[in-house]
């Protein structure tokens, strides 16, 4: 996922998920069900494309959602709803306790009993990479319709848009029609950019680049272009300050803007608009969402150590981690808590 530097407050909670694509005509369920699936894909599809999330850090549980839909609320994991019970379970080595301790042991690469910033950074990068490849594996079978271990553009198009293309008359809603007409050529452009050998059939690595373009150097222009298209509402090829703010805040009540929005306006003027012309061009957008001098994993590791290091020795004991367990459950170190539900051998 695209993860930009925190502004103005550091936290961590990118929207993630695994929405299913629209069902292919090869499977041929009943038409009513298929239409519902296709319409649901308009709302949920971007969960399979975390790269559309530009909110790598969120000060609340509100994060950047699907392209063009603004902010979405991410439902808190069930195990976060009873924090004291979970803390007791971890201490007592029951239920999630062994998993949590297993994760801590795995992070401690040199087995000296301490977690350093470097060890945390390396672990977070490992979790990021594992999530990406697990995500690809999860959806692969939905698109590789002929089971040849490649996903052709026609297979992907049929699986995702087949019902709409075959039955356009059933999509009378103007918003649905506009979304499909925008999404299809956009997906094709992204697919062809990921398809390095130009055979219109994606290998696993090429399909990974398609789903997670922010992880691949040759896909960065696509990430920037899609970001621009999402935010640039007047379609002048730039992102001005109001468009930048509208992407994260809708002042529906017409009252005064909250302090964090005022801070974001200052951030735009001071740090986003590098040439001070009142708007961001593609180069400035890339500097914003894909900064070369920013390492998200290192920033998160430093944040975890800073918040948990009681004796300020620049490293964490297991007890310091346990005492601040909620910080780790809400971070990529535990895959935002999801790893607490895994078996030992899945970590």
């Amino acid at each position: 996922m695209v993860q930009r530097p925190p502004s103005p407050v550091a936290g961590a909670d990118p929207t993630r998920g695994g929405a299913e694509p629209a069902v292919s005509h090869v499977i041929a369920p009943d038409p009513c069900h298929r239409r519902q699936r296709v319409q649901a894909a308009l709302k949920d599809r971007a969960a399979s494309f975390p790269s559309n999330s530009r909110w790598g850090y969120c000060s609340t549980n509100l994060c950047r959602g699907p392209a063009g839909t603004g902010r979405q609320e991410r439902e808190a994991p069930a195990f976060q709803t009873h924090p004291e019970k979970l803390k007791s379970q971890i201490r007592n080595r029951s239920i999630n306790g062994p998993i949590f301790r297993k994760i801590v042991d795995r992070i401690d690469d040199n087995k000296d009993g301490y977690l350093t910033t470097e060890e945390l950074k390396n672990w977070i990068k490992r979790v990021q990479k594992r999530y990406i490849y697990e995500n690809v594996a999860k959806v692969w079978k939905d698109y590789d319709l002929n089971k040849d271990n490649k996903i052709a553009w026609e297979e992907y198009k049929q699986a995702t848009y087949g019902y709409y293309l075959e039955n356009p008359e059933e999509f009378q809603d103007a918003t649905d029609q506009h979304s499909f007409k925008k999404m299809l050529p956009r997906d094709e452009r992204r697919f062809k950019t990921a398809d390095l050998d130009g055979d219109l059939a994606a290998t696993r690595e090429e399909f990974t680049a398609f789903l997670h373009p922010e992880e691949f150097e040759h896909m960065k222009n696509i990430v920037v272009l899609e970001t621009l298209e999402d935010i640039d509402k007047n379609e002048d090829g730039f992102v001005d300050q109001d468009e930048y703010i509208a992407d994260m805040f809708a002042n529906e009540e017409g009252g005064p803007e909250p302090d964090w929005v005022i801070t974001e306006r200052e951030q735009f003027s001071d740090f986003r608009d590098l040439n001070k012309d009142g708007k961001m061009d593609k180069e400035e957008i890339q500097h914003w969402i894909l900064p070369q001098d920013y390492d998200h994993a290192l920033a998160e590791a430093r944040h975890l150590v800073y918040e948990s290091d009681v004796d300020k020795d620049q490293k964490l004991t297991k007890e310091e981690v346990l005492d601040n367990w909620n910080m780790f459950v809400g971070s990529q170190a535990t895959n935002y808590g999801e790893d607490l539900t895994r078996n030992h051998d899945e970590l």
Side-chain angles (χ1 to χ4, degrees):
M1 72 224 56
V2 179
Q3 297 170 322
R4 66 181 179 88
S7 171
V9 181
D13 191 14
T15 301
R16 310 217 300 205
E20 295 181 3
V23 177
S24 165
H25 76 290
V26 173
I27 301 174
D30 75 87
C32 181
H33 175 69
R34 285 186 59 191
R35 185 180 179 213
Q36 292 171 350
R37 288 284 301 279
V38 174
Q39 289 176 322
L42 283 172
K43 299 178 181 179
D44 301 330
R45 168 183 169 277
S48 293
F49 298 89
S51 57
N52 283 330
S53 174
R54 287 187 291 281
W55 286 74
Y57 280 107
C58 300
S59 57
T60 67
N61 223 28
L62 293 174
C63 298
R64 186 69 172 84
T69 63
R71 289 153 70 86
Q72 284 190 329
E73 184 168 1
R74 183 188 186 215
E75 183 179 354
F79 50 78
Q80 289 188 11
T81 61
H82 303 287
E84 291 305 317
K85 181 178 180 180
L86 176 58
K87 189 171 183 178
S88 175
Q89 290 169 345
I90 293 172
R91 282 194 180 279
N92 295 332
R93 307 180 70 86
S94 62
I95 305 180
N96 292 319
I99 301 295
F100 189 84
R101 292 176 179 273
K102 178 76 171 181
I103 292 172
V104 175
D105 289 339
R106 294 287 297 275
I107 298 172
D108 181 17
D109 192 49
N110 64 4
K111 308 305 178 188
D112 66 350
Y114 297 95
L115 305 188
T116 65
T117 299
E118 185 69 14
E119 287 173 328
L120 280 164
K121 181 196 74 172
N122 292 339
W123 178 261
I124 290 168
K125 286 182 179 292
R126 180 180 183 275
V127 171
Q128 288 173 334
K129 187 174 182 179
R130 188 191 71 209
Y131 166 75
I132 288 169
Y133 284 97
E134 286 181 350
N135 175 247
V136 172
K138 181 179 180 181
V139 302
W140 183 266
K141 65 181 182 300
D142 295 321
Y143 298 118
D144 182 15
L145 303 180
N146 64 5
K147 309 304 178 186
D148 66 347
N149 208 31
K150 283 189 174 184
I151 295 174
W153 164 247
E154 288 301 321
E155 287 180 304
Y156 176 82
K157 183 174 72 171
Q158 183 60 48
T160 307
Y161 302 102
Y163 188 74
Y164 168 74
L165 295 172
E166 295 167 8
N167 304 274
E169 69 283 354
E170 295 192 26
F171 294 83
Q172 299 301 322
D173 183 83
T175 301
D176 284 357
Q177 291 181 5
H178 175 75
S179 295
F180 272 116
K181 289 178 181 178
K182 177 182 177 181
M183 288 159 54
L184 178 54
R186 179 160 154 161
D187 273 358
E188 184 173 10
R189 181 183 63 195
R190 187 196 277 201
F191 191 97
K192 289 180 177 179
T193 303
D195 179 27
L196 288 177
D197 59 12
D199 64 352
L200 291 181
T203 63
R204 283 194 180 254
E205 190 71 5
E206 289 171 335
F207 197 65
T208 301
F210 173 65
L211 292 185
H212 300 274
E214 75 286 349
E215 300 295 327
F216 294 80
E217 187 67 30
H218 69 283
M219 299 294 292
K220 288 185 176 180
N221 287 341
I222 285 290
V223 175
V224 172
L225 182 57
E226 290 182 2
T227 301
L228 173 62
E229 291 172 344
D230 289 345
I231 305 178
D232 178 23
K233 299 306 180 185
N234 64 11
E235 299 182 350
D236 66 349
F238 300 93
V239 173
D240 61 37
Q241 187 182 97
D242 287 338
E243 290 170 329
Y244 173 80
I245 295 299
D247 184 57
M248 62 186 81
F249 174 72
N251 195 355
E252 297 175 353
E253 299 180 0
E257 292 181 340
D259 289 344
W260 73 265
V261 173
I262 296 173
T263 299
E264 279 292 348
R265 289 192 181 276
E266 295 171 354
Q267 291 281 329
F268 182 91
S269 298
D270 295 342
F271 302 108
R272 310 295 181 223
D273 179 18
L274 300 177
N275 62 8
K276 308 307 177 187
D277 65 351
K279 54 193 177 184
M280 285 193 292
D281 56 25
K282 290 180 182 178
E283 184 177 343
E284 289 167 322
I285 291 172
Q286 179 164 339
H287 187 270
W288 167 40
I289 63 172
L290 298 170
Q292 294 183 348
D293 57 350
Y294 183 78
D295 186 331
H296 164 72
L298 178 59
E300 185 167 352
R302 286 173 173 169
H303 181 62
L304 290 171
V305 171
Y306 178 81
E307 294 293 337
S308 308
D309 184 17
V310 176
D311 59 11
K312 303 304 177 185
D313 62 352
Q314 305 300 311
K315 54 188 178 183
L316 303 180
T317 64
K318 291 183 180 180
E319 283 304 309
E320 286 175 323
V321 173
L322 180 59
D323 287 340
N324 204 18
W325 68 270
N326 55 319
M327 179 70 66
F328 284 81
V329 169
S331 82
Q332 273 197 305
T334 62
N335 196 20
Y336 306 100
E338 293 177 17
D339 282 355
L340 296 182
T341 66
R342 289 173 172 263
N343 295 322
H344 287 199
D345 56 3
E346 294 178 324
L347 296 173

